Amino acid sequence: MSAIETYEVYAIRYATLARKAADNFIGGDPHEDGSPLDYFVWLARSPTRLFVIDTGFEAGVAERRGRKMLLSPELGLQRLGVDAAKVRDVIVTHLHYDHIGNFALFPQATFHLQDREMQYATGRHMAQPIFSHAYEVDEVVAMVRRVYAGRVKFHDGDAQLAPGLSLHHIGGHTLGLQSVRVHTRIGWIVLASDATHLYANMDEARPFPIVHDVGAMVEGFRRLRELADHPRYVVPGHDPLVMQRYGAAGPGLEGVAVRLDAEPML
Ligand SMILES: [Zn+2]
């Protein structure tokens, strides 16, 4: 195995949604009335490797579901110097609609997915709207087609994709949710994706209500902290605070992309 590499890591904010706190915590929150969600795709880049983590949703899906699209993930990646058509590796944290659209953008990519996520998205639980409503059947079918085309690399649990970047099955939110651990100049950081939507879900052990297994979700909060060099290096999947705690990824990228391999401003 070659030497460990150091990655630059970015979050690109591509959409947003105004929402009540009751929608973001089991049992709600009597002290707040607003708790918006942001939507991100992430990028991890070393001198030799590049990984896109999740692919966002498409404009049509955003409109149908009432989400406010801020820019296309394609354009967001372009602004960081990445041509989606040339990307070789896409990590899919899970198959929910806001994490797997825009597939056509990545004609050369291999998609990294947990065995259990495909089982979940095509199995018995999808007969229940409470579990299926966050999936888009056409997008799940598109992923099945990629399986048959030899474009999906399945992982069962933890897996190192490169020295300095690994996948970790967390479950909870969905059966096959995975988070990504990345070696950076500040140490190991963790892109939680929806293992914790907001900082508060993890910090206060208050689970998000879209959940397959509450026990696994709460256990996942502990696992995320363990995987990162410090709990503050865990990056939640949908928290607007991410755009405040980290600096812009470059000139003109304020509000668009932040650099995550930097000390968060708490
Ligand atoms: Zn999500």
Side-chain angles (χ1 to χ4, degrees):
M1 187 58 80
S2 43
I4 192 164
E5 290 198 312
T6 298
Y7 284 78
E8 297 174 2
V9 187
Y10 301 90
I12 301 163
R13 176 181 180 243
Y14 73 89
T16 190
L17 173 68
R19 195 165 148 107
K20 297 195 297 290
D23 296 331
N24 291 337
F25 301 96
I26 290 179
D29 184 339
H31 305 297
E32 319 167 56
D33 46 20
S35 180
L37 295 182
D38 277 349
Y39 294 79
F40 300 98
V41 298
W42 299 274
L43 170 70
R45 179 159 62 188
S46 80
T48 65
R49 298 292 298 269
L50 185 149
F51 294 88
V52 170
I53 297 113
D54 291 344
T55 61
F57 48 62
E58 291 171 41
V61 174
E63 201 178 319
R64 181 153 47 77
R65 290 180 179 257
R67 272 61 176 160
K68 185 174 178 216
M69 196 102 182
L70 301 170
L71 88 168
S72 72
E74 179 182 28
L75 201 59
L77 287 166
Q78 251 176 42
R79 305 232 0 224
L80 293 175
V82 175
D83 178 357
K86 295 194 180 133
V87 170
R88 311 293 307 203
D89 291 284
V90 172
I91 295 166
V92 180
T93 64
H94 60 307
L95 291 168
H96 276 170
Y97 77 95
D98 53 323
H99 297 258
I100 59 150
N102 301 298
F103 271 170
L105 290 183
F106 301 96
Q108 297 201 42
T110 294
F111 294 84
H112 296 272
L113 184 68
Q114 288 285 321
D115 284 320
R116 275 167 279 192
E117 185 63 10
M118 184 55 93
Q119 290 164 17
Y120 185 60
T122 55
R124 64 165 61 225
H125 294 297
M126 295 306 113
Q128 308 280 0
I130 189 173
F131 299 122
S132 66
H133 79 276
Y135 290 89
E136 286 282 327
V137 63
D138 289 342
E139 293 176 345
V140 174
V141 169
M143 188 61 101
V144 172
R145 290 189 186 284
R146 277 169 181 77
V147 174
Y148 278 72
R151 303 260 318 276
V152 177
K153 175 98 173 25
F154 282 102
H155 302 279
D156 181 14
D158 298 354
Q160 181 175 279
L161 297 190
L165 189 141
S166 54
L167 306 177
H168 300 271
H169 174 254
I170 303 284
H173 177 57
T174 67
L175 188 62
L177 179 97
Q178 59 185 351
S179 300
V180 185
R181 183 176 190 243
V182 192
H183 182 253
T184 73
R185 60 188 178 178
I186 60 164
W188 290 97
I189 71 167
V190 173
L191 301 174
S193 181
D194 293 0
T196 190
H197 285 65
L198 303 172
Y199 286 105
N201 294 122
M202 179 181 77
D203 291 346
E204 299 163 23
R206 289 193 297 158
F208 192 79
I210 299 175
V211 58
H212 170 67
D213 179 337
V214 175
M217 182 178 270
V218 174
E219 174 62 13
F221 296 151
R222 186 197 60 74
R223 182 77 177 125
L224 293 171
R225 293 164 177 275
E226 189 176 85
L227 287 167
D229 270 354
H230 190 282
R232 69 178 177 273
Y233 295 167
V234 175
V235 182
H238 287 277
D239 201 323
L241 286 173
V242 168
M243 298 303 291
Q244 296 174 25
R245 292 190 179 182
Y246 294 93
L253 289 171
E254 293 80 8
V256 175
V258 290
R259 191 154 171 187
L260 300 174
D261 55 323
E263 274 306 320
M265 299 169 269
L266 296 178

